[in-house]
Amino acid sequence: MIERCQEDARPRFGPRARTAVVLAAAALLAATSAAFLPGTASAGTTLGASAAEKGRYFGTAVAANKLSDSAYTTILNREFNSVTPENEMKIDATEPQQGRFSYGAADQIVSHARSRGMSVRGHTLAWHSQQPGWMQSMSGSALRQAMLNHVTQVATHFRGQVVAWDVVNEAFADGSSGARRDSNLQRTGNDWIEAAFRAADAADPNAKLCYNDYNTDNWTHAKTQAVYNMVRDFKSRGVPIDCVGFQSHFNNDSPYNSNYRTTLSSFAALGVDVQVTELDIQGAPANTYRAVVEDCLAVARCNGVTVWGIRDSDSWRASQTPLLFNNSGQKKAAYDAVLAALNNGTTPTDPPTTPPTTPPTNPPGGSCTATLQDGTRWGDRFNSTVTVSGASSWTVVVAVTSPQKISSTWNGSPTWDSSGNVMTMRSNGSGNSFGFTTMANGNWNRPVVQSCTAS
Ligand code: XIL
């Protein structure tokens, strides 16, 4: 049974989060000026304090093994009021052997941050990458179960300490397909993402739950639209999603585009917060850094910006010198531009309410979301129902595994490929769902939704 609700009334949104950020920032100010850098850290002179004045945070990725480097921690403690562990909360770090959890390095970062009034973004609970060996070799329902257990255990461990979780990371394919990325997690069934969000919500009801991805910054890109359609679908069906993270790793192959602000505001208009989660820009051009910060400040539901490291030498792409501080820890021109943007920015009071008009939300040829649910099962056959959101007129392609055969359908107009295993179902005015019966012929694999296209 799918729970349906239009509005998620839980209190983790906006005002409460905003208060938490401001309180955290106040604590940071008190801590830094009293104990660390008397007289030098005040609103308007550091990234974190200036962001806090605008109701935002300014964060960085942190590596546990650098917390013993005083040049590193001096900048961290002075400038930032939010922290994301760079690798320490990933699956291979937190569950290196199945059922054996390891939190030492992550706890160290959380403790460093929270004792100084910085908030923590958790990264990440479910991802195709940086999986431990045992998980890489799993599939099917065993993997689904292991993934959900991982989400539950890790979110429970950090409950109350993490303000936001990247619940699912990078689940969509690059390029023009708008499809999900193929991965062992995706092959457990298209509903793996919402299952992960529900498990995270049960384990930590107060953390904001984010979907996080890269190459989703340009509003016209298929990947951006695909994630947008998923979030719209999740909101319409009451899947507990609170925020979308835009990694924003900009470089010559994947440059910043001035429609970034449209992307942020369009997602926000769906009723989610937006966050810039892993910002770095090849060459660190001051103008581009300024533009990203201005774009976030222009969108009421943009909570904050996290850069993916402190000094260029800390970056995963060090050769691109993409960060705000050089290898010696000196502020670069981009730092000055970001600080100025934070200090000049206004705090918008008008959350966007009108849905975006470009591109149209249901353009013919655009994507929609089709979710398959299991129906009645008999000794020789089973039913499936497919529910479509994001388009009222649609074409959905579904495949069954030979020697399975679809024996009947309802609420749609089907056509078949030559093998008879791939069905193209078109809406026929009977609503937003259709169903079909599959003769198992000994194979009980779930049918797979291959695509959904608005028509
Ligand atoms: C990167 C880390 O920065 C590296 O240290 C690690 O070797 C690989 O992962 N998208 C993400 C981040 O979500 O977790 C990645 O971090 C960068 C891309």
Side-chain angles (χ1 to χ4, degrees):
M1 184 69 187
I2 292 181
E3 182 196 344
R4 286 180 186 276
C5 63
Q6 291 302 316
E7 287 287 315
D8 185 337
R10 290 169 311 156
R12 73 160 66 108
F13 296 99
R16 182 164 141 186
R18 186 71 42 82
T19 307
V21 168
V22 171
L23 288 176
L28 170 71
L29 281 175
T32 48
S33 53
F36 297 100
L37 291 163
T40 61
S42 62
T45 64
T46 68
L47 303 172
S50 295
E53 285 208 323
K54 298 296 184 298
R56 311 302 208 282
Y57 61 79
F58 205 96
T60 180
V62 163
N65 62 12
K66 291 183 179 152
L67 291 175
S68 53
D69 172 350
S70 65
Y72 181 84
T73 52
T74 296
I75 305 173
L76 168 63
N77 298 347
R78 185 186 69 216
E79 296 288 344
F80 297 96
N81 58 1
S82 168
V83 154
T84 305
E86 185 173 0
N87 290 296
E88 293 78 355
M89 288 186 179
K90 292 174 181 175
I91 314 175
D92 57 355
T94 50
E95 195 177 357
Q97 294 167 329
Q98 188 171 15
R100 300 216 172 160
F101 291 86
S102 153
Y103 298 116
D107 284 343
Q108 203 189 334
I109 295 175
V110 170
S111 150
H112 182 100
R114 284 170 51 79
S115 65
R116 290 165 177 79
M118 307 170 187
S119 58
V120 179
R121 293 192 81 260
H123 174 80
T124 177
L125 294 170
W127 190 21
H128 69 277
S129 184
Q130 291 183 264
Q131 292 183 356
W134 63 265
M135 186 178 271
Q136 290 175 33
S137 59
M138 286 182 93
S139 63
S141 57
L143 173 60
R144 172 67 68 92
Q145 198 49 46
M147 179 275 283
L148 292 175
N149 182 55
H150 180 85
V151 170
T152 301
Q153 297 296 326
V154 177
T156 300
H157 176 83
F158 292 107
R159 180 180 179 143
Q161 305 189 66
V162 162
V163 294
W165 265 114
D166 292 330
V167 177
V168 171
N169 199 33
E170 302 181 350
F172 280 80
D174 291 313
S176 59
S177 71
R180 294 283 183 86
R181 173 195 296 275
D182 180 50
S183 72
N184 59 348
L185 292 169
Q186 178 62 29
R187 290 191 290 271
T188 69
N190 212 46
D191 61 346
W192 73 278
I193 298 181
E194 59 192 89
F197 274 87
R198 291 188 201 282
D201 185 48
D204 188 349
N206 292 319
K208 288 190 189 187
L209 305 180
C210 304
Y211 175 79
N212 192 53
D213 214 330
Y214 67 92
N215 280 353
T216 48
D217 318 289
N218 188 319
W219 179 240
T220 66
H221 283 178
K223 187 170 172 183
T224 309
Q225 290 298 307
V227 174
Y228 175 84
N229 286 329
M230 179 189 73
V231 174
R232 186 173 52 177
D233 169 53
F234 279 11
K235 293 301 288 180
S236 75
R237 290 191 295 114
V239 176
I241 185 169
D242 304 310
C243 39
V244 175
F246 297 84
Q247 292 185 9
S248 308
H249 295 292
F250 294 120
N251 53 45
N252 296 341
D253 297 327
S254 180
Y256 168 85
N257 185 290
S258 59
N259 66 27
Y260 188 60
R261 190 178 296 195
T262 301
T263 303
L264 297 179
S265 63
S266 301
F267 275 83
L270 292 175
V272 288
D273 288 347
V274 292
Q275 306 179 343
V276 180
T277 52
E278 304 182 14
L279 180 63
D280 49 23
I281 313 177
Q282 181 169 20
N287 286 343
T288 316
Y289 262 105
R290 178 187 299 115
V292 169
V293 170
E294 287 176 350
D295 290 341
C296 179
L297 291 174
V299 176
R301 292 197 74 152
C302 184
N303 307 136
V305 174
T306 298
V307 287
W308 205 240
I310 298 178
R311 303 161 299 194
D312 286 332
S313 50
D314 301 317
S315 169
W316 70 313
R317 290 175 168 170
S319 65
Q320 293 187 5
T321 60
L323 295 175
L324 299 177
F325 296 86
N326 70 15
N327 296 354
S328 316
Q330 285 159 337
K331 297 168 182 173
K332 295 161 63 175
Y335 172 96
D336 296 330
V338 165
L339 187 65
L342 290 170
N343 288 331
N344 291 340
T346 56
T347 306
T349 51
D350 50 340
T353 48
T354 42
T357 51
T358 51
T361 47
N362 292 319
S367 65
C368 39
T369 304
T371 307
L372 185 138
Q373 286 182 284
D374 299 329
T376 310
R377 180 168 167 165
W378 296 271
D380 59 344
R381 66 195 192 282
F382 58 92
N383 281 352
S384 306
T385 308
V386 175
T387 306
V388 178
S389 63
S392 49
S393 182
W394 37 261
T395 302
V396 175
V397 178
V398 177
V400 298
T401 316
S402 181
Q404 292 175 337
K405 281 279 169 273
I406 295 180
S407 57
S408 67
T409 71
W410 55 94
N411 292 346
S413 303
T415 53
W416 309 88
D417 78 341
S418 54
S419 72
N421 291 324
V422 181
M423 174 175 72
T424 299
M425 183 66 98
R426 292 187 175 77
S427 51
N428 66 356
S430 310
N432 72 335
S433 70
F434 65 90
F436 57 97
T437 304
T438 305
M439 298 307 297
N441 293 326
N443 183 315
W444 294 93
N445 282 358
R446 281 184 105 203
V448 174
V449 172
Q450 293 190 327
S451 65
C452 186
T453 313
S455 48

PDB file of all heavy atoms in Angstrom, residues 58 70 85 108 117 127 138 143 190 220 228 260 302 340 357 360 376 395 408 424 426 430 453:
ATOM      1  N   PHE A  58      28.330  27.568   6.056  1.00  0.00           N
ATOM      2  CA  PHE A  58      29.394  27.401   5.066  1.00  0.00           C
ATOM      3  C   PHE A  58      30.287  26.285   5.575  1.00  0.00           C
ATOM      4  O   PHE A  58      30.867  26.365   6.651  1.00  0.00           O
ATOM      5  CB  PHE A  58      30.186  28.695   4.853  1.00  0.00           C
ATOM      6  CG  PHE A  58      30.817  28.730   3.485  1.00  0.00           C
ATOM      7  CD1 PHE A  58      30.184  29.385   2.437  1.00  0.00           C
ATOM      8  CD2 PHE A  58      32.007  28.058   3.230  1.00  0.00           C
ATOM      9  CE1 PHE A  58      30.740  29.376   1.150  1.00  0.00           C
ATOM     10  CE2 PHE A  58      32.564  28.044   1.953  1.00  0.00           C
ATOM     11  CZ  PHE A  58      31.922  28.710   0.908  1.00  0.00           C
ATOM     12  N   SER A  70      47.946  21.220  12.337  1.00  0.00           N
ATOM     13  CA  SER A  70      47.414  22.438  12.958  1.00  0.00           C
ATOM     14  C   SER A  70      47.155  23.536  11.918  1.00  0.00           C
ATOM     15  O   SER A  70      46.267  24.369  12.110  1.00  0.00           O
ATOM     16  CB  SER A  70      48.339  22.938  14.065  1.00  0.00           C
ATOM     17  OG  SER A  70      49.562  23.329  13.499  1.00  0.00           O
ATOM     18  N   PRO A  85      32.247  14.638   6.603  1.00  0.00           N
ATOM     19  CA  PRO A  85      33.371  13.693   6.513  1.00  0.00           C
ATOM     20  C   PRO A  85      33.601  13.301   5.048  1.00  0.00           C
ATOM     21  O   PRO A  85      32.654  12.919   4.351  1.00  0.00           O
ATOM     22  CB  PRO A  85      32.897  12.497   7.341  1.00  0.00           C
ATOM     23  CG  PRO A  85      31.890  13.078   8.289  1.00  0.00           C
ATOM     24  CD  PRO A  85      31.193  14.150   7.493  1.00  0.00           C
ATOM     25  N   GLN A 108      35.451  10.762  15.301  1.00  0.00           N
ATOM     26  CA  GLN A 108      36.476  11.777  15.577  1.00  0.00           C
ATOM     27  C   GLN A 108      36.112  13.107  14.899  1.00  0.00           C
ATOM     28  O   GLN A 108      36.219  14.175  15.504  1.00  0.00           O
ATOM     29  CB  GLN A 108      37.810  11.241  15.015  1.00  0.00           C
ATOM     30  CG  GLN A 108      39.044  11.824  15.634  1.00  0.00           C
ATOM     31  CD  GLN A 108      40.281  11.375  14.845  1.00  0.00           C
ATOM     32  OE1 GLN A 108      40.284  10.314  14.190  1.00  0.00           O
ATOM     33  NE2 GLN A 108      41.312  12.187  14.892  1.00  0.00           N
ATOM     34  N   GLY A 117      30.730  23.725  17.798  1.00  0.00           N
ATOM     35  CA  GLY A 117      29.490  24.355  17.331  1.00  0.00           C
ATOM     36  C   GLY A 117      29.264  24.230  15.841  1.00  0.00           C
ATOM     37  O   GLY A 117      28.410  24.921  15.281  1.00  0.00           O
ATOM     38  N   TRP A 127      25.262   3.934  -1.861  1.00  0.00           N
ATOM     39  CA  TRP A 127      26.027   4.445  -3.009  1.00  0.00           C
ATOM     40  C   TRP A 127      26.607   3.245  -3.749  1.00  0.00           C
ATOM     41  O   TRP A 127      26.972   2.251  -3.116  1.00  0.00           O
ATOM     42  CB  TRP A 127      27.154   5.348  -2.467  1.00  0.00           C
ATOM     43  CG  TRP A 127      27.918   6.160  -3.472  1.00  0.00           C
ATOM     44  CD1 TRP A 127      27.524   6.522  -4.722  1.00  0.00           C
ATOM     45  CD2 TRP A 127      29.227   6.729  -3.272  1.00  0.00           C
ATOM     46  NE1 TRP A 127      28.497   7.297  -5.321  1.00  0.00           N
ATOM     47  CE2 TRP A 127      29.546   7.432  -4.459  1.00  0.00           C
ATOM     48  CE3 TRP A 127      30.142   6.712  -2.229  1.00  0.00           C
ATOM     49  CZ2 TRP A 127      30.754   8.111  -4.613  1.00  0.00           C
ATOM     50  CZ3 TRP A 127      31.346   7.387  -2.382  1.00  0.00           C
ATOM     51  CH2 TRP A 127      31.649   8.092  -3.563  1.00  0.00           C
ATOM     52  N   MET A 138      27.550  -8.806  -3.595  1.00  0.00           N
ATOM     53  CA  MET A 138      26.174  -9.233  -3.290  1.00  0.00           C
ATOM     54  C   MET A 138      25.202  -8.757  -4.363  1.00  0.00           C
ATOM     55  O   MET A 138      25.470  -7.830  -5.111  1.00  0.00           O
ATOM     56  CB  MET A 138      25.720  -8.654  -1.945  1.00  0.00           C
ATOM     57  CG  MET A 138      26.343  -9.332  -0.766  1.00  0.00           C
ATOM     58  SD  MET A 138      25.698  -8.626   0.754  1.00  0.00           S
ATOM     59  CE  MET A 138      24.359  -9.741   1.051  1.00  0.00           C
ATOM     60  N   LEU A 143      21.300  -8.383  -1.015  1.00  0.00           N
ATOM     61  CA  LEU A 143      21.916  -7.049  -1.068  1.00  0.00           C
ATOM     62  C   LEU A 143      20.934  -5.993  -0.586  1.00  0.00           C
ATOM     63  O   LEU A 143      21.296  -5.085   0.170  1.00  0.00           O
ATOM     64  CB  LEU A 143      22.384  -6.737  -2.493  1.00  0.00           C
ATOM     65  CG  LEU A 143      22.888  -5.303  -2.700  1.00  0.00           C
ATOM     66  CD1 LEU A 143      24.078  -4.994  -1.797  1.00  0.00           C
ATOM     67  CD2 LEU A 143      23.253  -5.068  -4.164  1.00  0.00           C
ATOM     68  N   ASN A 190      13.855  -0.970  -8.815  1.00  0.00           N
ATOM     69  CA  ASN A 190      13.828   0.484  -8.972  1.00  0.00           C
ATOM     70  C   ASN A 190      13.455   1.213  -7.686  1.00  0.00           C
ATOM     71  O   ASN A 190      13.738   2.390  -7.530  1.00  0.00           O
ATOM     72  CB  ASN A 190      12.826   0.844 -10.069  1.00  0.00           C
ATOM     73  CG  ASN A 190      13.234   2.081 -10.816  1.00  0.00           C
ATOM     74  OD1 ASN A 190      14.391   2.215 -11.200  1.00  0.00           O
ATOM     75  ND2 ASN A 190      12.304   2.990 -10.988  1.00  0.00           N
ATOM     76  N   THR A 220      19.030  22.270 -18.025  1.00  0.00           N
ATOM     77  CA  THR A 220      18.581  21.674 -19.282  1.00  0.00           C
ATOM     78  C   THR A 220      19.057  20.233 -19.447  1.00  0.00           C
ATOM     79  O   THR A 220      18.636  19.559 -20.385  1.00  0.00           O
ATOM     80  CB  THR A 220      19.101  22.476 -20.502  1.00  0.00           C
ATOM     81  OG1 THR A 220      20.530  22.348 -20.553  1.00  0.00           O
ATOM     82  CG2 THR A 220      18.725  23.941 -20.399  1.00  0.00           C
ATOM     83  N   TYR A 228      14.941  15.598 -10.917  1.00  0.00           N
ATOM     84  CA  TYR A 228      13.790  16.465 -10.591  1.00  0.00           C
ATOM     85  C   TYR A 228      12.487  15.658 -10.617  1.00  0.00           C
ATOM     86  O   TYR A 228      11.663  15.747  -9.698  1.00  0.00           O
ATOM     87  CB  TYR A 228      13.747  17.603 -11.611  1.00  0.00           C
ATOM     88  CG  TYR A 228      12.557  18.530 -11.491  1.00  0.00           C
ATOM     89  CD1 TYR A 228      12.578  19.590 -10.588  1.00  0.00           C
ATOM     90  CD2 TYR A 228      11.434  18.356 -12.285  1.00  0.00           C
ATOM     91  CE1 TYR A 228      11.493  20.447 -10.478  1.00  0.00           C
ATOM     92  CE2 TYR A 228      10.349  19.208 -12.177  1.00  0.00           C
ATOM     93  CZ  TYR A 228      10.384  20.255 -11.282  1.00  0.00           C
ATOM     94  OH  TYR A 228       9.317  21.092 -11.169  1.00  0.00           O
ATOM     95  N   TYR A 260      22.074  27.665 -13.193  1.00  0.00           N
ATOM     96  CA  TYR A 260      22.192  26.971 -11.896  1.00  0.00           C
ATOM     97  C   TYR A 260      21.139  27.478 -10.905  1.00  0.00           C
ATOM     98  O   TYR A 260      20.519  26.706 -10.182  1.00  0.00           O
ATOM     99  CB  TYR A 260      23.590  27.235 -11.373  1.00  0.00           C
ATOM    100  CG  TYR A 260      24.024  26.480 -10.135  1.00  0.00           C
ATOM    101  CD1 TYR A 260      24.062  25.095 -10.098  1.00  0.00           C
ATOM    102  CD2 TYR A 260      24.462  27.178  -9.002  1.00  0.00           C
ATOM    103  CE1 TYR A 260      24.520  24.413  -8.971  1.00  0.00           C
ATOM    104  CE2 TYR A 260      24.926  26.513  -7.878  1.00  0.00           C
ATOM    105  CZ  TYR A 260      24.950  25.124  -7.868  1.00  0.00           C
ATOM    106  OH  TYR A 260      25.405  24.472  -6.760  1.00  0.00           O
ATOM    107  N   CYS A 302      17.826  27.397  -0.090  1.00  0.00           N
ATOM    108  CA  CYS A 302      19.216  26.929  -0.189  1.00  0.00           C
ATOM    109  C   CYS A 302      19.867  27.142   1.178  1.00  0.00           C
ATOM    110  O   CYS A 302      20.121  28.273   1.597  1.00  0.00           O
ATOM    111  CB  CYS A 302      19.988  27.670  -1.284  1.00  0.00           C
ATOM    112  SG  CYS A 302      21.667  27.024  -1.476  1.00  0.00           S
ATOM    113  N   ALA A 340      32.750  38.262   0.161  1.00  0.00           N
ATOM    114  CA  ALA A 340      32.011  39.479  -0.223  1.00  0.00           C
ATOM    115  C   ALA A 340      30.583  39.130  -0.622  1.00  0.00           C
ATOM    116  O   ALA A 340      29.639  39.836  -0.253  1.00  0.00           O
ATOM    117  CB  ALA A 340      32.736  40.183  -1.372  1.00  0.00           C
ATOM    118  N   THR A 357       8.688  27.213 -15.349  1.00  0.00           N
ATOM    119  CA  THR A 357       8.038  27.066 -16.647  1.00  0.00           C
ATOM    120  C   THR A 357       9.001  26.594 -17.724  1.00  0.00           C
ATOM    121  O   THR A 357       8.570  26.208 -18.789  1.00  0.00           O
ATOM    122  CB  THR A 357       7.424  28.401 -17.090  1.00  0.00           C
ATOM    123  OG1 THR A 357       8.417  29.387 -16.969  1.00  0.00           O
ATOM    124  CG2 THR A 357       6.226  28.751 -16.237  1.00  0.00           C
ATOM    125  N   PRO A 360       9.094  22.960 -19.851  1.00  0.00           N
ATOM    126  CA  PRO A 360       7.811  22.558 -19.325  1.00  0.00           C
ATOM    127  C   PRO A 360       7.948  21.289 -18.491  1.00  0.00           C
ATOM    128  O   PRO A 360       8.819  20.468 -18.748  1.00  0.00           O
ATOM    129  CB  PRO A 360       6.958  22.316 -20.573  1.00  0.00           C
ATOM    130  CG  PRO A 360       7.877  22.396 -21.729  1.00  0.00           C
ATOM    131  CD  PRO A 360       9.130  23.071 -21.295  1.00  0.00           C
ATOM    132  N   THR A 376      -0.928  -9.961  -6.921  1.00  0.00           N
ATOM    133  CA  THR A 376      -1.246 -11.327  -6.496  1.00  0.00           C
ATOM    134  C   THR A 376      -0.333 -12.334  -7.192  1.00  0.00           C
ATOM    135  O   THR A 376       0.026 -12.168  -8.358  1.00  0.00           O
ATOM    136  CB  THR A 376      -2.706 -11.642  -6.851  1.00  0.00           C
ATOM    137  OG1 THR A 376      -3.509 -10.575  -6.355  1.00  0.00           O
ATOM    138  CG2 THR A 376      -3.169 -12.952  -6.237  1.00  0.00           C
ATOM    139  N   THR A 395       4.221   6.715 -22.081  1.00  0.00           N
ATOM    140  CA  THR A 395       4.602   5.445 -22.696  1.00  0.00           C
ATOM    141  C   THR A 395       5.622   4.790 -21.770  1.00  0.00           C
ATOM    142  O   THR A 395       6.655   5.392 -21.459  1.00  0.00           O
ATOM    143  CB  THR A 395       5.247   5.684 -24.082  1.00  0.00           C
ATOM    144  OG1 THR A 395       4.306   6.383 -24.902  1.00  0.00           O
ATOM    145  CG2 THR A 395       5.617   4.365 -24.746  1.00  0.00           C
ATOM    146  N   SER A 408      -1.809 -11.263 -19.912  1.00  0.00           N
ATOM    147  CA  SER A 408      -2.917 -10.314 -20.042  1.00  0.00           C
ATOM    148  C   SER A 408      -2.503  -8.964 -19.465  1.00  0.00           C
ATOM    149  O   SER A 408      -1.553  -8.875 -18.675  1.00  0.00           O
ATOM    150  CB  SER A 408      -4.166 -10.843 -19.316  1.00  0.00           C
ATOM    151  OG  SER A 408      -3.931 -10.875 -17.935  1.00  0.00           O
ATOM    152  N   THR A 424       5.620  -2.361 -24.689  1.00  0.00           N
ATOM    153  CA  THR A 424       5.505  -0.913 -24.657  1.00  0.00           C
ATOM    154  C   THR A 424       4.041  -0.587 -24.374  1.00  0.00           C
ATOM    155  O   THR A 424       3.157  -0.911 -25.178  1.00  0.00           O
ATOM    156  CB  THR A 424       5.947  -0.304 -26.000  1.00  0.00           C
ATOM    157  OG1 THR A 424       7.315  -0.657 -26.215  1.00  0.00           O
ATOM    158  CG2 THR A 424       5.817   1.213 -25.979  1.00  0.00           C
ATOM    159  N   ARG A 426       1.071   2.113 -23.641  1.00  0.00           N
ATOM    160  CA  ARG A 426       0.698   3.520 -23.763  1.00  0.00           C
ATOM    161  C   ARG A 426      -0.568   3.785 -22.970  1.00  0.00           C
ATOM    162  O   ARG A 426      -1.459   2.917 -22.908  1.00  0.00           O
ATOM    163  CB  ARG A 426       0.490   3.898 -25.231  1.00  0.00           C
ATOM    164  CG  ARG A 426       1.787   3.875 -26.003  1.00  0.00           C
ATOM    165  CD  ARG A 426       1.665   4.407 -27.427  1.00  0.00           C
ATOM    166  NE  ARG A 426       3.010   4.458 -28.035  1.00  0.00           N
ATOM    167  CZ  ARG A 426       3.656   3.387 -28.504  1.00  0.00           C
ATOM    168  NH1 ARG A 426       3.095   2.211 -28.487  1.00  0.00           N
ATOM    169  NH2 ARG A 426       4.877   3.510 -29.011  1.00  0.00           N
ATOM    170  N   SER A 430      -7.207   5.552 -19.085  1.00  0.00           N
ATOM    171  CA  SER A 430      -7.725   4.826 -17.916  1.00  0.00           C
ATOM    172  C   SER A 430      -7.039   5.242 -16.615  1.00  0.00           C
ATOM    173  O   SER A 430      -7.176   4.557 -15.611  1.00  0.00           O
ATOM    174  CB  SER A 430      -7.532   3.323 -18.089  1.00  0.00           C
ATOM    175  OG  SER A 430      -7.995   2.899 -19.322  1.00  0.00           O
ATOM    176  N   THR A 453       8.207   7.691 -20.638  1.00  0.00           N
ATOM    177  CA  THR A 453       8.325   8.877 -21.485  1.00  0.00           C
ATOM    178  C   THR A 453       6.974   9.570 -21.551  1.00  0.00           C
ATOM    179  O   THR A 453       5.942   8.913 -21.760  1.00  0.00           O
ATOM    180  CB  THR A 453       8.744   8.468 -22.917  1.00  0.00           C
ATOM    181  OG1 THR A 453       9.827   7.557 -22.842  1.00  0.00           O
ATOM    182  CG2 THR A 453       9.165   9.686 -23.720  1.00  0.00           C
TER     183      THR A 453
END
